[in-house]
Amino acid sequence: MAEVTVTIQHPTGLHARPAALFVQTASRFRSRIEVTANGKTVNAKSMMAILSLGARQGTTLTLRAEGEDAADALAALKELVETNFGEGS
């Protein structure tokens, strides 16, 4: 299972709009994708699960993916978080 670690820089954390973008991006891929934060691991393709992480600015996310497009999925999600969910730096 491939893995990357990213830190949320977005001021509102992984709430509403950023969470929706995260789930939409994860859902484009066939791989099984998990996110771990604050001691909890959830399905990256579930909006409710992502919101339940309570990830705020500064929270470190561990992203894991398994499947034929795992590397692409992790790269896309990493870029999304690192570019502040399309809102610049």
Side-chain angles (χ1 to χ4, degrees):
M1 183 173 261
E3 177 180 310
V4 297
T5 301
V6 292
T7 300
I8 296 175
Q9 299 302 321
H10 194 279
T12 64
L14 204 47
H15 290 273
R17 183 185 167 283
L21 289 172
F22 190 90
V23 170
Q24 288 171 2
T25 301
S27 296
R28 292 188 343 229
F29 298 94
R30 290 183 173 191
S31 293
R32 183 169 61 94
I33 307 169
E34 298 176 342
V35 182
T36 300
N38 301 321
K40 186 174 182 180
T41 300
V42 300
N43 179 353
K45 299 178 183 178
S46 167
M47 182 71 169
M48 293 304 291
I50 292 299
L51 290 173
S52 76
L53 290 173
R56 300 173 186 254
Q57 185 178 32
T59 298
T60 298
L61 304 176
T62 301
L63 312 175
R64 293 184 189 89
E66 184 172 33
E68 63 190 52
D69 54 2
D72 292 337
L74 292 180
L77 290 168
K78 181 179 178 189
E79 180 180 352
L80 181 67
V81 174
E82 289 181 344
T83 59
N84 259 348
F85 303 92
E87 295 182 5
S89 54

